[in-house]
Amino acid sequence: MKKLLAIVAVLLPVCSWAAKNTVPDIMPIPQKIEMAKGRFKVKGVNVNCDPSLDARTVKLVRQFADRLSLVGGKTVSVASPIGLGRAVGAGTIKGLCFVPDASLPAEGYSIVIGKKAAVVSASDYSGFFYAVQTIKQMLPVSIYGKTQDLKAKWYLPCCEIKDSPRFGYRGLLLDCCRHFFSVEQVKKVLDVMSIYKLNRLHWHLTEDQGWRIEIDKYPKLTEIGAFRNGTMIKREWGSNDGIRHGGFYTKDQIRDVVAYAAERGITIIPEVDMPGHMVAALASYPELGCAGSGPYEVRTYWGVSKQVLNVGKESTMKFLEDVCDEVADLFPGEYFNIGGDECPRDEWKTDPDCQAKIKELGLVSDEKASAEARLQNYVTARMQKFLATKGKKIIGWDEILEGELAPGATVMSWRGTKGGIKAASMGFDVIMSPNTYCYIDHCQSTDLASEPYCISQTPDRAVTLEKLYGYEPYDGFPEDARHHLLGVQVNLWTEFIATPEYLEYMLLPRMIAISEVQWSNPEKKDLGRVKNSLETHEFPILDILGYNYRKLDK
Ligand code: ACM
């Protein structure tokens, strides 16, 4: 018996070597992954790019090859041999090959790894970008670093992966208004989004507490509106920390960030929140306000302000169009977010311009909506039309559904899921970011005392990793409305998030968990696997890259 055990012990490594590879930790988990036997050596590998690949994709491959050279300690060369596609088809090629395949879906990719050759295919830039992310996740984590790691085993496991996203819209909202974050920090957020295949940054750039984007026609928006005289402390109304806070992005900085995002497969969608959440603009240009409102000051405390734009004045509408004109020119994506949330209409009830506009437009109150709600509909419709002349479609928070909404708008469901379900049933495209699952400014634990101070101060409002990961976006959607669901977004509002370290703590690891809700098939979801992957694989990656994150509960 002892002898038998000794033989088994000797054979075990051989047997496991001969067995199929185990499934690597890849998050979000691919749609299809089949492991085979054997491994492919990447140290010093020859990389081949099909000559038909565009310059962007070749640059991406070169960057990856450079990283492999650096960390693997052996030069990886990149070539573009004529006839690569044919050689791949005939199985006569060696090395790591990148070849286009028009039959693959948008953002999808295929990776086939044999012992001699590994072939990566996609039909677009994003597909190749995501294939590279997946390959990096299969390599030793030191691939994310910038130092040589000669101890690591620079091999890929033989396998076949076919992958594409469940949803085309995989978003994160970053609020740079309640607290301002530097360009470097925004880029750091883009970096981690791209590892986990998120593809939309919803950039919240205007707010009561700060205007963050340079507008040539209205310089006071950043001279005055970008700075506030202190910030309230926790929920102590009337308090002020006495620290002037602010900052803004110049147009050149915005262009730089937009390009940086595009290299990572990310489209940035700007939000100019209107006609509420505009106190910083009102402080800069008080003439945009309603009769009897003001004086204005860039808001130093949180909550919803009753001070809103006077949309009864043509000059205010011209202001909005001018601002959106300049903002739209900076962001090449197809969407523009016009906000529309939390706009109290009290001031409009007594403002002569707003009442005159209501009369002129023939707006009436009925059981469906008040005349003032319909005045907001007018603003939404007018901006929708204006932005269409700039080639943009609008997205707005679910309040834009109140009253009438013109076809073609996309609704972002934040007050739970019902707004999104209703909008989709009415034929509007929707993005789900319900505060019940997707607000990652909420506490990560029901044990509030164990967490840093955050916006949700009751245990039932906590958005734990488990809760967020359990979200199924189609829940409650009628079958015939499902095609309107574009995707899912997590929202990182920053009222109580003042530092980069805390920002990352709230973002991670929840953003990694949501990536599986956004990308993977629900049948593949497995909380145990995700937790294990976080502990053993994702956290080491975050450590190497220098991110702060919340550890898992024991
Ligand atoms: C929101 O959270 N007010 C969209």
Side-chain angles (χ1 to χ4, degrees):
M1 184 62 186
K2 249 192 185 156
K3 206 167 168 188
L4 188 65
L5 280 178
I7 291 169
V8 169
V10 169
L11 277 181
L12 210 54
V14 181
C15 293
S16 63
W17 174 241
K20 280 188 184 176
N21 294 303
T22 52
V23 180
D25 285 325
I26 301 170
M27 283 201 69
I29 192 165
Q31 305 294 357
K32 193 168 157 239
I33 175 160
E34 272 190 30
M35 303 313 293
K37 295 176 187 172
R39 57 187 186 165
F40 173 77
K41 187 176 177 184
V42 294
K43 189 167 172 150
V45 70
N46 289 324
V47 176
N48 301 304
C49 286
D50 191 274
S52 69
L53 288 182
D54 60 20
R56 254 179 112 204
T57 306
V58 174
K59 184 176 165 200
L60 164 78
V61 174
R62 279 188 189 283
Q63 283 167 345
F64 176 56
D66 287 348
R67 179 55 65 100
L68 269 180
S69 303
L70 180 74
V71 296
K74 193 162 180 201
T75 303
V76 167
S77 59
V78 182
S80 290
I82 311 256
L84 178 68
R86 254 177 293 132
V88 165
T92 56
I93 196 80
K94 285 186 188 163
L96 178 55
C97 307
F98 289 80
V99 287
D101 180 349
S103 72
L104 293 173
E107 302 188 290
Y109 63 89
S110 147
I111 301 172
V112 181
I113 303 172
K115 287 181 195 157
K116 299 239 156 52
V119 179
V120 177
S121 327
S123 64
D124 58 15
Y125 176 82
S126 291
F128 282 111
F129 183 85
Y130 293 140
V132 169
Q133 301 317 306
T134 295
I135 290 171
K136 284 173 80 173
Q137 292 192 4
M138 290 194 281
L139 288 169
V141 292
S142 45
I143 186 69
Y144 292 92
K146 289 196 175 125
T147 48
Q148 215 174 68
D149 183 358
L150 297 178
K151 282 204 214 101
K153 293 189 169 63
W154 292 104
Y155 291 93
L156 285 167
C158 292
C159 64
E160 266 192 66
I161 300 176
K162 240 200 163 100
D163 201 10
S164 59
R166 185 182 190 205
F167 293 111
Y169 188 112
R170 304 180 300 280
L172 164 72
L173 173 144
L174 184 62
D175 171 11
C176 290
C177 298
R178 269 52 175 267
H179 282 97
F180 179 71
F181 293 93
S182 68
V183 164
E184 287 63 41
Q185 187 59 33
V186 175
K187 286 183 175 177
K188 204 173 167 199
V189 169
L190 289 165
D191 286 339
V192 75
M193 285 173 70
S194 72
I195 295 173
Y196 297 100
K197 303 186 174 90
L198 277 77
N199 67 352
R200 299 284 183 271
L201 180 77
H202 171 169
W203 204 1
H204 191 72
L205 288 166
T206 69
E207 251 309 336
D208 297 325
Q209 292 85 5
W211 186 281
R212 303 282 176 238
I213 178 167
E214 182 179 48
I215 303 293
D216 296 332
K217 256 195 193 147
Y218 298 91
K220 285 194 269 182
L221 286 173
T222 42
E223 285 163 16
I224 295 172
F227 301 91
R228 65 174 179 259
N229 289 322
T231 304
M232 71 182 279
I233 299 160
K234 293 189 175 171
R235 264 188 184 66
E236 295 160 23
W237 302 97
S239 70
N240 187 310
D241 66 7
I243 303 166
R244 189 164 156 81
H245 179 87
F248 65 92
Y249 308 105
T250 65
K251 286 194 168 177
D252 279 345
Q253 286 176 319
I254 298 261
R255 285 187 200 100
D256 175 44
V257 173
V258 166
Y260 190 88
E263 266 184 34
R264 286 152 184 76
I266 298 169
T267 303
I268 303 189
I269 300 170
E271 179 182 356
V272 175
D273 202 348
M274 65 183 81
H277 288 278
M278 272 282 174
V279 176
L282 289 164
S284 313
Y285 295 96
E287 62 272 26
L288 298 170
C290 292
S293 184
Y296 300 109
E297 148 176 69
V298 181
R299 213 163 137 103
T300 57
Y301 52 101
W302 316 126
V304 176
S305 174
K306 285 195 171 167
Q307 295 180 318
V308 301
L309 290 180
N310 181 346
V311 295
K313 277 191 190 162
E314 188 51 28
S315 51
T316 308
M317 295 309 295
K318 177 80 171 61
F319 164 82
L320 287 176
E321 289 180 353
D322 288 344
V323 166
C324 290
D325 190 26
E326 290 193 31
V327 174
D329 284 344
L330 292 168
F331 295 89
E334 66 173 327
Y335 288 105
F336 191 111
N337 195 308
I338 52 112
D341 59 321
E342 298 177 321
C343 178
R345 295 151 192 149
D346 311 56
E347 292 191 337
W348 296 352
K349 285 190 185 136
T350 51
D351 180 82
D353 295 310
C354 291
Q355 287 305 312
K357 196 72 188 174
I358 284 172
K359 211 160 165 204
E360 178 197 322
L361 296 170
L363 306 178
V364 288
S365 296
D366 56 24
E367 64 289 342
K368 198 170 161 199
S370 66
E372 285 74 24
R374 293 183 189 283
L375 186 62
Q376 185 170 344
N377 295 158
Y378 148 78
V379 177
T380 305
R382 195 160 152 181
M383 296 316 295
Q384 185 176 8
K385 251 195 195 149
F386 176 77
L387 284 161
T389 68
K390 305 282 299 175
K392 307 284 182 200
K393 297 199 267 188
I394 62 159
I395 303 174
W397 298 109
D398 55 50
E399 284 93 333
I400 66 170
L401 262 188
E402 291 163 14
E404 307 289 335
L405 180 62
T410 296
V411 175
M412 190 162 259
S413 187
W414 75 276
R415 294 176 296 180
T417 59
K418 59 185 186 312
I421 294 166
K422 181 175 167 200
S425 306
M426 291 166 71
F428 294 102
D429 283 347
V430 302
I431 297 154
M432 298 304 283
S433 60
N435 51 4
T436 39
Y437 294 95
C438 292
Y439 268 42
I440 56 172
D441 56 336
H442 286 209
C443 238
Q444 308 193 53
S445 168
T446 52
D447 178 11
L448 301 176
S450 69
E451 287 294 307
Y453 192 81
C454 67
I455 200 159
S456 60
Q457 284 302 307
T458 53
D460 59 306
R461 293 179 68 219
V463 174
T464 60
L465 182 95
E466 292 77 7
K467 180 157 192 200
L468 167 140
Y469 187 69
Y471 177 48
E472 169 43 50
Y474 282 121
D475 273 354
F477 274 70
E479 200 57 40
D480 60 357
R482 286 165 65 106
H483 62 285
H484 284 299
L485 178 49
L486 303 184
V488 173
Q489 176 172 292
V490 283
N491 294 344
L492 189 47
W493 302 104
T494 58
E495 280 93 336
F496 299 103
I497 301 174
T499 65
E501 293 73 29
Y502 190 22
L503 186 84
E504 292 172 12
Y505 178 89
M506 295 303 265
L507 183 66
L508 302 166
R510 288 183 292 186
M511 189 211 77
I512 302 177
I514 206 69
S515 76
E516 290 216 341
V517 177
Q518 296 169 322
W519 179 283
S520 308
N521 268 344
E523 306 86 76
K524 294 259 181 165
K525 275 170 74 178
D526 177 345
L527 186 61
R529 168 183 53 76
V530 167
K531 285 186 171 176
N532 187 55
S533 183
L534 287 171
E535 288 282 14
T536 60
H537 190 243
E538 316 320 316
F539 290 167
I541 293 173
L542 298 179
D543 287 335
I544 286 178
L545 293 172
Y547 288 92
N548 189 29
Y549 55 89
R550 184 183 188 274
K551 299 201 169 41
L552 299 183
D553 291 325
K554 291 287 168 222

